Amino acid sequence: MKRKSMLWLFAMILVLSAFLAACGGGGSDDASDSDSGESKDGEKATEEQAGEPQQGGTLTYALDAVPEGLYNWAFYGIATDAEIIELFDESLIEYDENLEPIPHIATWETEDNQHFTFKFKEGVKWHNGEELTVNDWVFALETLADPDYDGTRYTNVQTVQGAPEYRDGKADSISGLNVIDDYTIEITFDEPRVNNLVNLWSYPMPEKAFEGIPVAEMSASDVVRTKPVGLGPFKVENIVPGESVELVKNEDYWNGDVNLDKIIVRIIDNTATVGALQNGDVDMIAIQPVSGPEVEKLDNVEIVTAPGLSYYYVGFKLGKYDADKREIVEEVPKYQDVNLRKAMAHAINREEWIDAFFFGYGKPVNKPVPSAHWIAADDSEVEVYDYDPEKAKELLDEAGYVDKDGDGFREDPNGEKFEVKFSHYATGNPTFESRAKALTQYWEEVGLKSKLEMVEVNLYYDMVEKDDSSIETFFGGWGTGTDPDPSGLWKADEIWNYPRYNNPESDALLEKALSVEEVGDDKEKRKQIYAEWQKKVTEDVPMIFIAELDEIYAKSDKVGGFELDVSGHNSPAEWYLNE
């Protein structure tokens, strides 16, 4: 029984990059281990201990980064919050190991990929005792489309017929939502698309719990911050901000037995991970690659890995975006020369960088789709920028970036001083500045004077999204979800297109890949269109694709029932302790 819907991974914005390592974020390890679904030490990533699951006990689940404290799918912003939410709340739809949607709380039917009929299971209860109905889903979709909604998930409702009119205040309801009865709803989209189902927001919200709270105040409310209500196998009992979250067994869980009595989520310093696992203070944690080699030595702990769906990149600010107009309104000139961008890509020794900072839990990525995803193009189909400093120098020479004053660094084609200003987020992790400096050193080795700026992590996100003029090149990370459509990260009218990449040919290919007329249900044809798109993006180099990582969990050998694959981990209802 898969628990994680993976829509949260797609929704994960730049904040993912700050916690990507901490959450074991994406990509694949090389060759046999990740491709076969095995961990570093040869154990199956979908491990399950022999014998019947034991009942009872308290599992200690650790996080090595402090949550922001937004414990609702509609409002969370960082991966640590998502790790907690997935312990107590569930989606209507789940995804299998092939990233195909499967029914969970709801089933669906459609004949044209525009009109869908959904049927809910009856008797499913929220943690506050209220029964789940389709009205809770309508409430969630209307919240996301409300003009006062301060979250980032409107993109997952905007294609429902009438959602834009509702958001603009021109309608009192979303016309595409037609409630038949408490358990049946018809949803009509503005047009047929092959991804309408998987792009649709599939997390209802407990309407009764939010009663009387204006949308503008929801993210700050107790229902989100301190007393969240979900549908999952565990209920939130107590939250100590910045320290712990206590969850207790949901005796009314709709989907079978729950083995554990409690899960205690503890926040620990990332430097304490190995000791906490060794001493038995922690039963499970998604670890950073830097901890992997030491954790591997522990007799009482197993490392479990699976290919992830995320990647790191270096982005170039090519323009500025007007969020109200939803368009790129200005071109930033400094990095418009594609040969400059290609040279900076060839200058980076990605293999060396990944080995130095990720300890064998990653590999270079050459395209804007992680290798584990079914739409990923083969490297032979895209432009690959292998480490080649001499090629980098040739490209810079051809583009007019030459050292004219003999100081060892290149001036721009106008003879003016040129400096690569590179920004990276700053957290408590000491390796972040080291890995960022390593990238600037690669550029300096080919004659590009470089300056690193470390920016406080929360301020960083805001500066990147708002195209602050001090952000010129920047480090980031993206998670790709079950919906392979990358439009939300790449089209010119999308706010999460942080480089402000503006290429009509790219946009046209993304639209073509969603056209029912073009691809119908032909996955191979759709994949080929995405391969064309990946080739186009890699030719244009709006960002340098750096690394993709494994998802990495460390768990005590007392923990049974834990499974992990590319779609995420299984339901915590299935976990148990052998004591």
Side-chain angles (χ1 to χ4, degrees):
M1 178 175 64
K2 297 304 296 178
R3 164 67 182 81
K4 196 187 216 178
S5 82
M6 296 299 293
L7 278 172
W8 72 272
L9 273 176
F10 180 77
M12 201 172 299
I13 57 175
L14 184 69
V15 290
L16 171 67
S17 61
F19 300 100
L20 188 60
C23 299
S28 63
D29 197 0
D30 55 16
S32 59
D33 285 344
S34 64
D35 290 342
S36 65
E38 293 184 357
S39 66
K40 298 286 290 184
D41 56 3
E43 296 294 329
K44 275 291 190 182
T46 54
E47 173 274 343
E48 182 152 349
Q49 296 189 9
E52 289 298 316
Q54 294 189 22
Q55 300 295 303
T58 298
L59 182 145
T60 303
Y61 186 105
L63 300 174
D64 66 358
V66 178
E68 187 178 6
L70 295 170
Y71 301 122
N72 183 281
W73 291 115
F75 297 101
Y76 88 97
I78 64 176
T80 42
D81 285 6
E83 278 197 82
I84 294 172
I85 300 169
E86 65 185 5
L87 298 175
F88 71 82
D89 201 10
E90 300 191 349
S91 172
L92 301 173
I93 300 170
E94 289 192 334
Y95 293 83
D96 63 20
E97 64 276 11
N98 298 313
L99 304 181
E100 292 289 341
I102 54 177
H104 187 50
I105 300 174
T107 59
W108 62 89
E109 294 180 352
T110 183
E111 295 181 356
D112 59 4
N113 278 305
Q114 183 176 10
H115 303 84
F116 287 76
T117 300
F118 293 89
K119 187 77 174 178
F120 279 25
K121 289 182 181 290
E122 298 184 24
V124 177
K125 289 186 177 180
W126 291 101
H127 294 157
N128 61 1
E130 296 289 328
E131 186 178 10
L132 170 71
T133 72
V134 296
N135 297 298
D136 294 306
W137 196 17
V138 171
F139 177 70
L141 296 172
E142 288 183 343
T143 297
L144 269 58
D146 193 283
D148 291 331
Y149 170 64
D150 60 359
T152 56
R153 276 80 190 192
Y154 173 64
T155 184
N156 295 114
V157 67
Q158 66 181 355
T159 56
V160 175
Q161 187 179 85
E165 290 79 7
Y166 184 81
R167 193 184 196 205
D168 292 339
K170 299 176 181 178
D172 295 330
S173 61
I174 299 176
S175 60
L177 304 179
N178 179 26
V179 175
I180 305 301
D181 56 45
D182 281 351
Y183 310 105
T184 311
I185 184 173
E186 294 177 348
I187 296 184
T188 301
F189 293 87
D190 55 2
E191 63 181 75
R193 296 182 191 83
V194 297
N195 72 329
N196 274 334
L197 173 65
V198 294
N199 184 60
L200 179 64
W201 189 251
S202 60
Y203 297 96
M205 292 170 61
E207 184 174 13
K208 190 72 174 178
F210 282 94
E211 189 173 32
I213 304 174
V215 172
E217 299 174 13
M218 285 182 179
S219 63
S221 70
D222 288 346
V223 189
V224 171
R225 298 278 181 168
T226 60
K227 299 176 181 177
V229 176
L231 297 165
F234 292 91
K235 303 189 292 186
V236 175
E237 179 81 358
N238 186 49
I239 295 175
V240 180
E243 294 184 16
S244 65
V245 178
E246 180 179 352
L247 303 107
V248 298
K249 179 177 180 176
N250 177 11
E251 299 289 352
D252 295 321
Y253 183 50
W254 66 276
N255 199 23
D257 293 335
V258 180
N259 296 320
L260 296 166
D261 289 333
K262 287 186 179 182
I263 295 178
I264 305 294
V265 181
R266 288 183 50 206
I267 316 303
I268 65 173
D269 188 276
N270 54 42
T271 60
T273 298
V274 178
L277 287 165
Q278 184 175 27
N279 297 334
D281 298 330
V282 167
D283 296 312
M284 188 185 303
I285 183 173
I287 65 170
Q288 301 185 38
V290 66
S291 300
E294 291 303 311
V295 173
E296 287 178 22
K297 299 175 184 177
L298 302 179
D299 293 334
N300 63 325
V301 177
E302 176 190 357
I303 286 183
V304 182
T305 68
L309 291 175
S310 306
Y311 59 86
Y312 282 132
Y313 66 84
V314 171
F316 299 96
K317 277 293 181 185
L318 303 176
K320 292 194 174 183
Y321 180 82
D322 187 314
D324 294 327
K325 296 180 179 178
R326 293 197 63 183
E327 63 182 48
I328 297 169
V329 294
E330 180 182 337
E331 189 176 87
V332 177
K334 186 169 181 178
Y335 292 94
Q336 291 298 325
D337 191 320
V338 69
N339 281 334
L340 169 62
R341 304 196 298 270
K342 289 181 176 181
M344 291 175 65
H346 278 299
I348 299 173
N349 188 334
R350 295 177 297 162
E351 292 272 10
E352 179 182 75
W353 187 84
I354 293 166
D355 287 345
F357 295 104
F358 296 103
F359 304 91
Y361 291 100
K363 67 177 184 180
V365 63
N366 296 308
K367 46 195 173 283
V369 177
S371 301
H373 209 293
W374 68 267
I375 69 162
D378 188 83
D379 283 351
S380 64
E381 299 178 277
V382 300
E383 293 294 319
V384 175
Y385 299 93
D386 290 327
Y387 176 56
D388 190 341
E390 295 307 313
K391 178 67 173 177
K393 293 174 184 177
E394 290 175 12
L395 288 167
L396 290 169
D397 289 342
E398 292 173 11
Y401 292 84
V402 296
D403 179 10
K404 295 183 178 179
D405 59 11
D407 68 349
F409 293 109
R410 299 169 183 267
E411 279 70 48
D412 70 16
N414 296 319
E416 302 293 331
K417 292 286 187 182
F418 183 84
E419 182 178 73
V420 174
K421 185 178 179 184
F422 180 52
S423 299
H424 194 294
Y425 45 81
T427 71
N429 190 323
T431 67
F432 286 2
E433 185 168 3
S434 298
R435 74 187 188 192
K437 282 183 177 178
L439 293 173
T440 62
Q441 288 167 359
Y442 288 130
W443 295 323
E444 293 210 335
E445 288 170 5
V446 296
L448 294 175
K449 187 173 179 61
S450 302
K451 177 183 178 181
L452 171 64
E453 181 177 17
M454 300 295 293
V455 182
E456 192 278 324
V457 64
N458 292 308
L459 178 60
Y460 183 81
Y461 311 144
D462 190 59
M463 292 170 67
V464 171
E465 184 162 305
K466 293 182 178 177
D467 301 326
D468 189 289
S469 58
S470 66
I471 303 290
E472 297 181 357
T473 66
F474 59 97
F475 190 84
W478 281 125
T480 303
T482 48
D483 178 7
D485 174 35
S487 297
L489 307 181
W490 285 97
K491 288 189 73 176
D493 61 354
E494 294 289 349
I495 193 170
W496 288 351
N497 172 7
Y498 286 152
R500 308 311 176 204
Y501 178 52
N502 191 0
N503 186 322
E505 293 181 30
S506 167
D507 288 357
L509 285 168
L510 292 176
E511 291 170 6
K512 185 178 180 181
L514 297 181
S515 169
V516 172
E517 291 184 2
E518 288 282 351
V519 301
D521 58 1
D522 189 337
K523 288 184 65 174
E524 280 304 312
K525 187 172 183 180
R526 190 181 182 201
K527 179 178 179 178
Q528 188 52 49
I529 294 171
Y530 281 129
E532 293 177 42
W533 171 76
Q534 291 165 72
K535 185 175 191 300
K536 171 58 62 179
V537 172
T538 56
E539 288 172 346
D540 291 345
V541 206
M543 61 174 64
I544 303 170
F545 305 108
I546 303 291
E548 55 185 11
L549 306 180
D550 286 343
E551 290 210 38
I552 319 168
Y553 281 80
K555 71 176 191 66
S556 165
D557 55 15
K558 297 187 303 181
V559 177
F562 178 76
E563 299 179 0
L564 184 69
D565 61 32
V566 69
S567 70
H569 65 62
N570 61 330
S571 170
E574 300 176 35
W575 304 349
Y576 60 91
L577 291 172
N578 291 307
E579 304 223 52

